[in-house]
Amino acid sequence: SSVDNRFRDQCVSGRGQLVGWRSKDWNKLNHRLNNNLTTVANLTFKKQRSDTFLRLTFFTTSRHRGTDSCGQWYFKVDNRECTPNSINGFSGTSEKTTTNLSTRIEISATIVGVCRGTRDRDLLSGTHTISMNVRPCPWRNEAIRNPTTGFKTTTTMIVEELCPPQ
């Protein structure tokens, strides 16, 4: 990732300057959840400054089989969720019917957010592990039913280091 080096030494608040970035693609990831919590994909990122934020982007196609299922995809930095708000998205079905494994939902989704830190620490300069994870939707009691991430498409994760906003 190359950026204009003049921005590495100074951040001008409110300009949304890009300090650095990295992306990674997975072709037909087809990651299938086999238990209730799992890491789908991750990459390492070297953060240049301690006073910057990370904009995290994840694009994939998910697939669900069966009815009344819900999966939540969410980012972690160094194995901790971002605060004050988690960066996440979900997909699923809401119909309570008998289980029909021939019912399928396939949907493309982009999850984007800004991470200022995690519950017990700021994101200081240095190397961090960024991961996308999937779990059953926490507000539902039903078990997740076989969501697949990266179903027959390219999955992309992008990490961008940004100067603070206004």
Side-chain angles (χ1 to χ4, degrees), residues 55-68:
R55 179 171 43 205
L56 309 175
T57 305
F58 189 77
F59 173 80
T60 193
T61 299
S62 66
R63 178 185 191 195
H64 288 272
R65 290 183 63 201
T67 60
D68 198 28

Side-chain angles (χ1 to χ4, degrees), residues 31 33 36 85 94 110 118 125 128 140 144 152:
H31 178 276
L33 179 63
N36 282 339
N85 298 307
S94 61
T110 302
T118 60
S125 62
H128 297 277
R140 304 256 307 257
I144 195 165
K152 295 186 178 183

Side-chain angles (χ1 to χ4, degrees), residues 5 12 37 53 67 76 88-89 104-105 117 126-127 134 161:
N5 285 330
V12 178
L37 183 65
F53 302 133
T67 60
K76 282 187 173 183
N88 65 73
R104 294 182 184 155
I105 295 176
T127 302
V134 63
E161 183 176 358

Side-chain angles (χ1 to χ4, degrees), residues 40-58:
V40 173
N42 62 55
L43 65 79
T44 57
F45 181 79
K46 186 171 182 182
K47 195 167 176 282
Q48 301 296 316
R49 302 173 53 94
S50 293
D51 63 342
T52 56
F53 302 133
L54 296 180
R55 179 171 43 205
L56 309 175
T57 305
F58 189 77

